[in-house]
Amino acid sequence: MKGFRIPLFLFLTLSNTILSQTLVEPNQNFLWESFSFQFPEPVVVKMESTSQKKLTVYPAKRDGFFMVVRILPWGEPMPDKNLWVDSVFQKPINPKRSERSILGKTFQVFEADQIRNQNALRNQVWIRLNEKPYLWIWLQWKSDRKDLTAFFESNLFLSL
């Protein structure tokens, strides 16, 4: 009798599974792993099980932004933090890099404007590599949504 074999499509399905989807109301603390987030409007939060722990956030009622959060699997900090930035920013306009400290947690923040599909977009990539678990957050929102600009640029989404 030959060994049991799992078909490739079944293995891929099991290794990239959506664990849950949740509706989160505005200004409600949403806990994921050891992190707490808040959102400016009702959102759908999708948790996935992949090789990296991943959280994806979409607006529930109207278009305007999305957010992807990943816990990075490295045992040591990455020397080239620009690797993640380059994977997000395509033809960035006015790119900036800064360091922000929120409740004692330090993040490298990369920001840039972009034009995609005829939409003017703001992007931020937040990277925390100085403390485990290492964290990567990508925020993207439409530039004409000034309410979102004020919310995300004031760090209100992070209630660590």
Side-chain angles (χ1 to χ4, degrees):
M1 184 170 156
K2 299 216 177 204
F4 179 73
R5 292 186 181 180
I6 298 174
L8 181 59
F9 75 90
L10 181 59
F11 174 75
L12 292 175
T13 301
L14 293 173
S15 66
N16 190 10
T17 305
I18 295 174
L19 297 176
S20 69
Q21 284 188 212
T22 305
L23 179 65
V24 179
E25 294 299 324
N27 303 315
Q28 175 184 346
N29 276 340
F30 178 77
L31 298 173
W32 179 70
E33 297 299 315
S34 61
F35 303 99
S36 177
F37 300 97
Q38 289 188 1
F39 307 104
E41 57 191 56
V43 297
V44 174
V45 176
K46 180 173 66 172
M47 292 176 270
E48 296 181 53
S49 175
T50 62
S51 61
Q52 302 169 14
K53 294 179 182 180
K54 179 181 170 187
L55 180 76
T56 307
V57 180
Y58 301 95
K61 294 184 178 180
R62 63 180 180 160
D63 193 21
F65 79 96
F66 78 91
M67 177 176 172
V68 177
V69 183
R70 294 178 190 263
I71 292 180
L72 303 175
W74 299 299
E76 295 295 325
M78 247 177 67
D80 184 11
K81 296 173 188 170
N82 290 320
L83 176 68
W84 283 100
V85 173
D86 294 341
S87 71
V88 173
F89 296 150
Q90 299 168 359
K91 299 180 186 174
I93 302 167
N94 301 323
K96 294 181 229 164
R97 178 181 178 173
S98 62
E99 190 171 286
R100 295 191 193 170
S101 186
I102 301 171
L103 298 172
K105 311 289 185 198
T106 302
F107 292 87
Q108 289 293 318
V109 180
F110 299 85
E111 302 176 73
D113 293 322
Q114 278 184 290
I115 305 294
R116 276 196 187 172
N117 302 325
Q118 300 179 346
N119 289 308
L121 303 171
R122 292 281 301 142
N123 287 278
Q124 289 184 342
V125 174
W126 292 63
I127 302 173
R128 185 181 87 171
L129 293 175
N130 61 338
E131 184 180 331
K132 289 182 183 181
Y134 305 130
L135 188 68
W136 177 83
I137 303 170
W138 175 24
L139 299 161
Q140 185 176 73
W141 66 93
K142 289 186 175 182
S143 296
D144 63 352
R145 291 280 312 269
K146 299 301 180 198
D147 58 323
L148 295 177
T149 299
F151 183 83
F152 290 121
E153 290 186 355
S154 298
N155 316 324
L156 297 176
F157 67 97
L158 280 174
S159 54
L160 301 171

